[in-house]
Amino acid sequence: MPSYHPPFYSSALEQAIDRYPLTAAPETSLPVAIALMSQLRNSCPLVKTPVPSDRGAMTETSPPEKMRARCVFVVQNQQTITAGNLSDNPSRGLLIGILTPADLVRLIASGTIDNHHKGASHKIPISEVMSPVSVSLTESDDQDVFTALSLFRQHKIRYLPIVNQFRHLVGVLTRERIRQVLQPSNILKLRRVAELMTTPITAPHTASLLSITELMSQHQASCVVITKNKELTMEKPKDDYTSIFHYSFHHPLGIITEYDIVQALFLELNFKQTPAQKVMRTPLQFLQPSDSLWTAHKEMQQQQVQRLVVCGVRGELLGIITQTSLLRVLDPTEMYRVVKQLQQSVYQLQAEKVELLQSRNAKLEQQVRERTAKLHEQLQRDRLLTHISLRIHQSLNLEEILHASVDEVRQVLQADRVAILHLESSNSGIVVAESVAENWPSILGEILPDNIWQESATAIEQEIYAVPDIDQARLSAEKYARFQQAQIKAYLIVPILQDGNNLWGMMCVHQCSKSRQWQPSEVDLLQQLATQIAIAIQQAQLYQQVQNLNTDLERQVQERTAELQQKVHELQHLNVLKDEFLSTVSHELRTPLANIKMAIHMLRISPTLDRRQIYLEILETECTRETDLINDLLDLQRLEAATCPIDLEPVNLEVWLPTIIDPFYTRAHNRHQHLRVECDRHLPTICSNRASLGRILAELLNNACKYTANDGEISLRVECKKGDCEDGGQRKNPRQASAIAAEIEFTLSNQSSISIQELPRIFEKFYRVPNADPWKQGGTGLGLALVQKLVEQLQGKIEVESSNGWTNFTVTFPTNPDGN
């Protein structure tokens, strides 16, 4: 068997490799893997129990001089390794996964491992809970310790497996083993703990072990510092008295790591009931923020730990320093940064010498520039004041004046925003004009609450115009928040007064990018502009009042003209309707009269008694027609005026309906028509008006008989709606039926059709469908109009439809209408 020849690593990397890592087969149970981890080192103040045996597990005897990697590698085709053949065949088999304390913490927090059920985890093989190996280092002659450090930093891992070319596990690297072999004392002595310490995850001493595990999983932390809240009463001397205040802070009691969780899991502790202080590691060796990293390095080596707690002078928890922090200093990139920092310090010293020589000249040049700028600024202000004053006197458009003013002011003062606020009422204001630079929000149209407006008005009365920095001004919380929302760092405001003392609004200059020290000349310029704007406002208001008066007069004239035109149109329409009505009524009234006159004339000259009898019948028929027409007109007028209320009375439909329907059987028989009547059994007694209801049915039946051809069919259907008239075949009395039925529906159908264009007009007065009466039976044209009004008076509804050669009238009445 050929001997194994390891590659020639650098001495530091060779010393750091742990060639005896813990390994297990994929079928190894989870408790055995936990036991393998827990036997490495006892960092938990608990009594250990013997390691359980498992056929798939593999234990090794390793040199105790260095800390072992607290993880288990899952390999295939592993062989049992003893102390006699460790050096001969360092390959542990094909690497397929890794199980770390962090994985166990995650499984406990997610509930995959439940230590309340002791037998449940024995069924879980390590292959189901292991993590895949994301990165590894292949053994090679050109590898060094800095390559390993780069992999640790790049992938943020804690264990780096070493594999051969066949991906067989050879060993493992950890941060602590690298730190043990590297001794960069000079670099570590130059750096302080405060530079690299991080904020730890903390938990109270009363927390349970399960909550600690959940914290680790949630924050992906490798440890949790157990603390206790501590309060101190301290005295601080003032000028004439001593101030006493209470100082509260977290005092560290101990620390719990992922490996301590593994130990507790191995001991099968109850994670919900076990308190943190029972498992935490004590005592703690504290570091000060001013200590060097070399002190932290030596302390970690002495205590054989991977992290140290940093506390203040009173014992308050400030942070934590870890192996990762120390290794970051040893990273070549970090070393290069330190060197560059030292070079930068040298260059800075040289630059300071040159700067001292140039400072005098710069100060003189600055003074010249400041004086030139002041003269230029004064010139610009005078020109602005003259320009705005000229525009004010040339224009009467208030909106144009305000927007021109804010634009000019922003350009001259080089401000980020200039706005004009108008006092709408006694307790609110609105931004009516604005000029704002790019990248800053607009406040145009915003409304100021009354408390902010009153506060600003009070400040103006006290001549507090300029605020260089809102952080140093005594502003109310609401006003400060509003300024923050508008990104205002400094502001300058002046009042706009009318008639000397009436506050119209304010002109505001905002600096959003930074604070600004406002100059007295800037305040004076704004005050002069505010006076000119007040004059312009007064002129514009007077002009607007005149314009409003003219507009009101024009509007009133237009409204009166429109009203007169509407009245004339209505009168014309009424006149047309009157003419049409009189024409129709006179025609309908004259037709029977003409027939009467003709019948009277024929009676006078008729030679025989038979002929006289015929003319008497004509005379009687036309008189009846004339009477019906006059009665219909009077009834329709009464219904439209709604002057006569109707009297409601009980109507027994079963008794009453035959009296209305029977006469039409004879009429239909005479014309060879088929009249079919269908009624629900046991019709209820309804509350209605007998005369109105009878006339409605008679008119509808009369129209059906009139407009149905010989041998045609007429159907009347009477049924109860929204209630039952029968119950299980048992007959109900009329009173019970009336209480149950909600509506009565009359449906009258006949074999005649009405075009869809004529349907909307059939209920109009004197309207008759063209060509619908080939038999020339005549009629007043008021029947359906009366039916519609009578149905409405009885609180019912009528609907009509015509299709497929049939016309259907549906009339629905409530059984108990509301009394009028």
Side-chain angles (χ1 to χ4, degrees):
M1 181 177 181
S3 60
Y4 172 78
H5 299 285
F8 179 76
Y9 292 111
S10 62
S11 58
L13 182 61
E14 179 64 29
Q15 296 176 18
I17 294 177
D18 179 6
R19 295 191 176 275
Y20 312 104
L22 295 176
T23 60
E27 63 270 17
T28 303
S29 64
L30 185 59
V32 173
I34 296 172
L36 288 176
M37 290 187 193
S38 65
Q39 68 178 347
L40 291 177
R41 187 166 58 112
N42 185 8
S43 60
C44 182
L46 301 171
V47 180
K48 295 295 182 296
T49 59
V51 178
S53 61
D54 191 287
R55 185 175 58 85
M58 177 176 63
T59 59
E60 302 176 10
T61 304
S62 59
E65 64 273 7
K66 293 183 179 180
M67 295 183 66
R68 301 288 306 281
R70 293 191 289 271
C71 65
V72 176
F73 290 97
V74 183
V75 297
Q76 286 182 344
N77 302 326
Q78 65 174 356
Q79 298 178 358
T80 304
I81 300 175
T82 62
N85 62 358
L86 282 174
S87 59
D88 296 336
N89 184 15
S91 174
R92 270 54 177 183
L94 181 63
L95 178 63
I96 62 174
I98 184 174
L99 181 67
T100 66
D103 295 329
L104 295 176
V105 169
R106 174 176 51 81
L107 293 172
I108 295 172
S110 63
T112 304
I113 297 178
D114 188 358
N115 64 331
H116 290 283
H117 302 85
K118 299 182 179 180
S121 60
H122 288 275
K123 301 178 182 179
I124 302 176
I126 193 173
S127 59
E128 292 186 4
V129 296
M130 68 180 183
S131 297
V133 178
S134 59
V135 63
S136 61
L137 183 65
T138 305
E139 58 179 354
S140 175
D141 292 341
D142 56 353
Q143 304 287 12
D144 57 13
V145 72
F146 294 107
T147 302
L149 284 175
S150 177
L151 290 175
F152 275 110
R153 175 178 56 82
Q154 181 180 357
H155 298 280
K156 297 180 181 180
I157 57 177
R158 299 177 186 175
Y159 307 96
L160 180 62
I162 308 297
V163 298
N164 60 16
Q165 58 182 343
F166 305 106
R167 197 165 177 76
H168 287 188
L169 180 66
V170 174
V172 63
L173 277 176
T174 61
R175 294 189 182 97
E176 49 206 320
R177 292 182 67 91
I178 294 177
R179 181 187 56 79
Q180 288 176 348
V181 299
L182 293 179
Q183 302 291 333
S185 59
N186 292 332
I187 295 179
L188 294 179
K189 288 178 181 178
L190 292 175
R191 307 293 297 274
R192 299 298 165 192
V193 170
E195 300 178 29
L196 296 179
M197 69 178 184
T198 59
T199 303
I201 303 299
T202 62
H205 65 286
T206 58
S208 65
L209 195 56
L210 179 60
S211 62
I212 299 296
T213 306
E214 292 173 347
L215 271 178
M216 287 184 179
S217 176
Q218 177 183 357
H219 297 280
Q220 297 183 356
S222 61
C223 68
V224 174
V225 179
I226 306 302
T227 63
K228 184 176 182 180
N229 195 36
K230 191 174 182 181
E231 294 185 358
L232 293 178
T233 302
M234 304 182 66
E235 297 182 357
K236 185 176 182 180
K238 295 289 184 180
D239 296 336
D240 299 327
Y241 62 92
T242 300
S243 176
I244 299 177
F245 64 95
H246 299 279
Y247 180 67
S248 178
F249 59 89
H250 291 292
H251 177 69
L253 300 179
I255 190 170
I256 294 180
T257 65
E258 293 172 338
Y259 189 69
D260 298 327
I261 299 298
V262 175
Q263 295 279 22
L265 186 62
F266 168 64
L267 296 177
E268 298 181 350
L269 297 180
N270 190 325
F271 275 57
K272 290 185 179 179
Q273 298 179 1
T274 303
Q277 61 184 20
K278 184 176 180 181
V279 184
M280 68 182 182
R281 187 186 312 167
T282 57
L284 292 177
Q285 186 66 32
F286 301 142
L287 291 177
Q288 297 292 327
S290 58
D291 291 341
S292 66
L293 295 181
W294 178 251
T295 302
H297 169 72
K298 292 191 298 183
E299 194 69 35
M300 287 184 185
Q301 281 190 326
Q302 181 179 354
Q303 297 186 29
Q304 291 294 305
V305 296
Q306 301 182 31
R307 50 193 67 79
L308 293 172
V309 177
V310 183
C311 292
V313 293
R314 300 181 183 87
E316 67 273 20
L317 176 64
L318 298 179
I320 190 171
I321 197 80
T322 64
Q323 295 280 354
T324 306
S325 304
L326 297 180
L327 290 179
R328 192 182 303 124
V329 178
L330 304 179
D331 191 277
T333 305
E334 183 68 17
M335 294 181 182
Y336 178 76
R337 190 188 65 80
V338 173
V339 173
K340 293 293 292 183
Q341 186 176 0
L342 293 175
Q343 291 178 350
Q344 187 67 26
S345 300
V346 175
Y347 295 151
Q348 185 176 358
L349 291 174
Q350 295 176 352
E352 288 177 356
K353 294 180 181 179
V354 177
E355 186 179 358
L356 289 174
L357 295 175
Q358 296 176 349
S359 61
R360 294 293 179 90
N361 293 334
K363 288 182 179 179
L364 293 175
E365 292 177 358
Q366 180 67 22
Q367 291 177 0
V368 173
R369 287 195 297 268
E370 288 178 356
R371 291 183 180 180
T372 304
K374 287 182 179 178
L375 291 175
H376 180 71
E377 183 181 355
Q378 185 64 37
L379 180 62
Q380 287 287 95
R381 290 170 184 162
D382 293 342
R383 187 182 68 178
L384 172 65
L385 186 60
T386 303
H387 179 68
I388 294 180
S389 299
L390 181 62
R391 293 190 64 175
I392 287 174
H393 292 290
Q394 289 179 346
S395 176
L396 292 174
N397 189 330
L398 180 59
E399 183 177 356
E400 179 182 347
I401 294 171
L402 296 181
H403 282 86
S405 301
V406 294
D407 286 336
E408 296 287 348
V409 171
R410 191 176 69 83
Q411 295 299 328
V412 172
L413 297 184
Q414 294 297 307
D416 295 325
R417 185 191 295 116
V418 178
I420 293 180
L421 282 70
H422 174 48
L423 181 62
E424 292 284 344
S425 61
S426 61
N427 58 1
S428 65
I430 185 172
V431 180
V432 295
E434 178 194 46
S435 176
V436 61
E438 295 182 358
N439 302 326
W440 300 113
S442 174
I443 61 173
L444 185 64
E446 287 193 8
I447 299 176
L448 276 69
D450 73 359
N451 54 348
I452 293 181
W453 178 268
Q454 292 173 2
E455 184 178 341
S456 301
T458 304
I460 291 176
E461 292 177 358
Q462 298 174 358
E463 298 185 355
I464 305 175
Y465 298 144
V467 175
D469 191 347
I470 64 171
D471 293 330
Q472 300 178 1
R474 296 180 179 179
L475 303 176
S476 65
E478 185 175 356
K479 188 174 183 180
Y480 181 81
R482 195 172 185 88
F483 283 167
Q484 286 284 351
Q485 182 180 4
Q487 301 183 12
I488 300 174
K489 298 294 181 61
Y491 65 89
L492 172 64
I493 58 175
V494 295
I496 300 175
L497 302 175
Q498 287 185 329
D499 299 331
N501 56 2
N502 293 328
L503 182 63
W504 181 89
M506 294 182 292
M507 176 178 283
C508 306
V509 181
H510 297 158
Q511 198 69 27
C512 303
S513 57
K514 58 183 179 180
S515 59
R516 176 171 177 172
Q517 191 67 38
W518 304 103
Q519 302 300 320
S521 59
E522 296 172 339
V523 179
D524 182 64
L525 173 64
L526 285 185
Q527 288 177 331
Q528 296 181 46
L529 286 176
T531 302
Q532 297 296 327
I533 291 174
I535 296 173
I537 292 172
Q538 188 173 10
Q539 293 177 351
Q541 288 176 344
L542 292 174
Y543 176 75
Q544 188 64 36
Q545 290 176 2
V546 174
Q547 291 293 100
N548 291 340
L549 288 175
N550 291 334
T551 302
D552 288 342
L553 290 175
E554 292 178 0
R555 179 179 54 79
Q556 291 177 8
V557 170
Q558 292 175 355
E559 290 178 354
R560 294 290 177 87
T561 304
E563 290 177 359
L564 291 175
Q565 292 177 349
Q566 181 68 20
K567 293 292 184 182
V568 170
H569 180 72
E570 291 177 358
L571 290 175
Q572 291 175 348
H573 181 65
L574 290 175
N575 190 37
V576 171
L577 293 178
K578 181 198 68 173
D579 293 341
E580 292 179 354
F581 179 75
L582 291 177
S583 175
T584 304
V585 172
S586 62
H587 177 269
E588 293 295 334
L589 291 175
R590 286 173 182 172
T591 299
L593 290 176
N595 294 334
I596 292 172
K597 291 176 64 178
M598 182 196 69
I600 294 174
H601 176 72
M602 295 302 296
L603 281 173
R604 290 175 179 173
I605 65 175
S606 178
T608 63
L609 183 62
D610 293 337
R611 300 292 298 176
R612 289 181 182 180
Q613 184 63 33
I614 293 172
Y615 295 139
L616 285 174
E617 291 177 356
I618 293 174
L619 184 61
E620 183 181 3
T621 300
E622 294 301 326
C623 287
T624 303
R625 179 181 176 187
E626 186 79 8
T627 302
D628 291 342
L629 177 60
I630 294 172
N631 289 335
D632 289 346
L633 285 172
L634 293 176
D635 291 341
L636 188 59
Q637 189 276 335
R638 175 179 56 81
L639 290 172
E640 288 180 343
T643 56
C644 298
I646 60 173
D647 296 327
L648 301 179
E649 56 185 328
V651 179
N652 188 336
L653 295 179
E654 292 185 347
V655 177
W656 176 79
L657 275 176
T659 62
I660 302 297
I661 299 173
D662 286 346
F664 289 94
Y665 280 112
T666 304
R667 181 174 178 179
H669 179 73
N670 294 334
R671 294 195 58 186
H672 305 287
Q673 296 171 339
H674 305 283
L675 175 60
R676 184 177 68 255
V677 178
E678 298 179 5
C679 298
D680 286 349
R681 290 192 301 169
H682 319 309
L683 291 174
T685 298
I686 66 172
C687 188
S688 184
N689 184 271
R690 293 176 182 269
S692 298
L693 186 59
R695 188 164 188 180
I696 292 170
L697 293 178
E699 287 288 348
L700 292 177
L701 286 169
N702 182 53
N703 281 347
C705 292
K706 182 187 297 185
Y707 297 109
T708 301
N710 294 341
D711 296 326
E713 292 188 7
I714 303 172
S715 172
L716 175 63
R717 171 68 179 170
V718 184
E719 57 184 337
C720 303
K721 291 293 184 180
K722 297 184 180 178
D724 297 328
C725 294
E726 294 182 359
D727 184 16
Q730 296 181 0
R731 179 181 178 88
K732 296 182 179 293
N733 58 45
R735 183 176 298 177
Q736 291 175 327
S738 177
I740 295 174
E743 291 180 343
I744 295 298
E745 183 178 278
F746 299 88
T747 304
L748 183 62
S749 305
N750 66 305
Q751 280 186 300
S752 65
S753 61
I754 303 175
S755 65
I756 192 171
Q757 294 82 7
E758 304 296 334
L759 277 177
R761 301 190 59 189
I762 63 174
F763 293 106
E764 294 181 6
K765 292 180 292 186
F766 298 109
Y767 180 78
R768 300 180 67 186
V769 179
N771 303 322
D773 186 11
W775 305 278
K776 306 299 181 182
Q777 302 176 79
T780 63
L782 297 176
L784 288 179
L786 279 170
V787 167
Q788 186 182 46
K789 293 298 180 181
L790 289 171
V791 169
E792 292 176 355
Q793 191 179 40
L794 294 177
Q795 302 180 22
K797 62 180 180 179
I798 183 170
E799 299 174 347
V800 60
E801 63 175 356
S802 183
S803 62
N804 300 324
W806 283 82
T807 299
N808 302 314
F809 285 87
T810 303
V811 184
T812 306
F813 294 106
T815 57
N816 291 291
D818 298 334
N820 294 326

